[in-house]
Structures are given as structure tokens and as C-alpha cells.
Amino acid sequence: MAVPHPRDIQSAVVNWLDERYPFTKAVDEALYQRVPNFANAFYYCFGGMVFILIVFQLLTGVLLALYYIPDATGNPAPAYQSVQFIQSNVFLGWLIRGVHFWAANLLIIMVLIHMSRVYWTGSYRAPRELNWMVGTLMLFIILGLALTGYLLPWDNKAYFASEVTIKIIGGVPPPQLGAFIREIIQGGPVVGPPTLQRFFTVHIFVFPAIIVLLMYVHFRFIRAHGISEPM
Ligand code: HEM
């Protein structure tokens, strides 16, 4: 019996898939878009850098979650101990944690540069206002990721810095509303184990899911409008 050529197997698989959903068409539309060649407009690269850093965060975050224990009870607490374990015992744990930490810092700088570029080239104007709003939402989610992630090591710096930030957020007027928001964030009257539990949940499930969804919307908008002209 003749052995089929790998290329024939490949087209048989692709045809089988395409008969069930137009995958080839979807991939062509997603990847083969003609884009203008703006010579020297290097400042158009920052949004892409933010995207790459977010991919780094998702990958290193999943690896950290394999060992992190979101438990603030006990003395010393398992959350703190698990971070020490990642840092000192897990193979390349120090590197994964370091990349997650530094990429998080770089991410905020890059988002601000990207936003400044969009402002500087006037690209927030019609018809791109909605995309500017989606971008603003993503900025808040990224700041939320920074706040919730900072508490997770559960050491003194994490605890007291988060306490101060939560107090500032709780300072919104009127005082009753501020106190209510603070209680919701903390999960009780003080920063404690329930705070760590909800920060962990929001940091690894809720905010990453929202940011991925918003990035998809952001990129669909960019496709729909085309990129704006440089200065
Ligand atoms: C998760 C964060 C973000 C990612 C991954 C991202 C990604 C991108 C990418 C790849 C582009 C294509 C052009 C370029 O890179 O400059 C872009 C364009 C754009 N971004 Fe973002 N962005 C983010 C946050 C923001 C923020 C915070 C704002 C503003 C509040 C914003 C507003 C815009 C607008 C209006 C455009 C269209 C610009 C044009 O047509 O010239 N983005 N974004």
C-alpha cells in the first residue's frame, strides 16, 4: 500500500476542518492584513510591546500559580512561605518571579508611553474615541492587577503598602461610600486573610480574563479604523 505524502495528509485535515468551519478564511483575514509603512514612526511600537509584556505576565503568572498558596492564616503564613519556596527551592523560580515582577513594572511604563503616543498623534479623536475609552478601562485593570499582585507575597512591605493604597481608595467622598468600598476591598474591617483571598482571586482569574477580552475588542477596533496617520 502506497504511503500518503505528508502534504496530502495536511490538506485532507485542513479540508476536513474547513468543511466544518471556514478556518483558512479566518486565519487569512487575521494574519494577512496590508498595513501602511510609516518610515521612522517607531513610536507606533509601544502598544505591541504592552501586548508582549501581557503575554509574558500570563505565562509567568500561570507558572507562579503552580506553587503559590493563597492562605494567610498560620504563623508564618503559607502564602509568605510559598513565595519563599518559589524564590529559593523551585527550579528557576527566582527567574520566573523576577520576570513577573519586572515585566509588571515595565508594563505600566509602556502603557503610559503608548497612551502618550496616542494623545500626541491625536489618535483619540473621531472615529477612535471608543477605543480610547477601552484603553482607559485597560489602564484601570492593569493598575488593579498591580494593586492585587502586590499583596500576594504577604510580607511586611506587601501588607503595609496595600493597607495604605486601600485607605487612599477608601478616602472617596462621602465618608460612608469610602468606608463601604474599603470594606468590600478588604473583605472585613481590616486587611487580613479575606483580603488576600479576594486579591488572589481577582488577580489570577477576574482581571486577566477582562484584560484579554478588552485587548480583543481593542484590536478589532484598530482593524476596523486602520491605524492613524503619524504626525
Ligand atoms: C493592555 C493595554 C494596551 C494594549 C495591549 C494596547 C495595544 C495597542 C496596539 C498594538 C495598538 C496599535 C498601534 C500602536 O501600537 O501604537 C494600539 C492602538 C491604540 N491604542 Fe492601545 N493598547 C493598550 C492600552 C491603551 C490605552 C491605555 C489607551 C488610551 C487610553 C489606548 C488607546 C489606543 C488607541 C486610541 C489606539 C489607536 C491609535 C491609532 O490608530 O493610531 N491603548 N493599542
Side-chain angles (χ1 to χ4, degrees):
M1 196 178 98
V3 181
H5 192 277
R7 200 180 43 234
D8 297 333
I9 301 177
Q10 188 194 357
S11 25
V13 173
V14 171
N15 287 343
W16 189 89
L17 287 171
D18 270 348
E19 278 160 21
R20 272 130 200 106
Y21 184 86
F23 284 107
T24 308
K25 192 165 157 262
V27 171
D28 278 357
E29 277 170 12
L31 297 184
Y32 300 105
Q33 163 102 1
R34 292 192 74 81
V35 290
N37 177 12
F38 298 144
N40 300 329
F42 71 90
Y43 43 82
Y44 277 68
C45 75
F46 293 110
M49 287 195 188
V50 175
F51 173 72
I52 289 170
L53 286 169
I54 288 180
V55 172
F56 266 52
Q57 291 307 78
L58 295 175
L59 293 177
T60 52
V62 168
L63 293 178
L64 290 171
L66 294 178
Y67 287 95
Y68 181 75
I69 302 168
D71 182 356
T73 57
N75 187 20
Y80 171 78
Q81 278 180 318
S82 68
V83 173
Q84 297 310 309
F85 184 76
I86 292 170
Q87 190 72 25
S88 318
N89 299 77
V90 175
F91 178 64
L92 294 184
W94 58 273
L95 182 65
I96 300 297
R97 187 170 171 230
V99 170
H100 200 75
F101 175 83
W102 286 108
N105 284 279
L106 206 57
L107 180 57
I108 293 182
I109 297 171
M110 288 298 166
V111 171
L112 294 178
I113 298 179
H114 171 58
M115 221 175 141
S116 313
R117 184 298 276 172
V118 172
Y119 180 76
W120 181 55
T121 53
S123 314
Y124 52 84
R125 288 181 300 210
R128 298 186 176 81
E129 303 98 317
L130 271 182
N131 214 13
W132 174 266
M133 292 178 204
V134 171
T136 309
L137 272 179
M138 289 198 287
L139 177 68
F140 282 117
I141 299 288
I142 286 171
L143 293 178
L145 279 162
L147 169 73
T148 49
Y150 204 86
L151 183 67
L152 300 187
W154 202 246
D155 53 15
N156 273 304
K157 190 165 66 130
Y159 183 91
F160 290 106
S162 302
E163 200 187 33
V164 170
T165 318
I166 295 169
K167 263 190 193 148
I168 294 172
I169 299 172
V172 294
Q176 295 86 339
L177 177 66
F180 175 72
I181 293 175
R182 193 169 149 191
E183 184 117 2
I184 294 285
I185 295 177
Q186 286 175 175
V190 292
V191 175
T195 322
L196 184 81
Q197 190 67 46
R198 56 187 59 192
F199 273 35
F200 171 75
T201 308
V202 168
H203 187 79
I204 83 160
F205 296 116
V206 183
F207 283 166
I210 297 178
I211 203 91
V212 168
L213 193 81
L214 289 179
M215 282 199 300
Y216 177 75
V217 176
H218 201 58
F219 297 154
R220 293 307 306 186
F221 270 129
I222 296 168
R223 274 294 170 91
H225 300 140
I227 200 78
S228 63
E229 290 282 318
M231 297 292 275

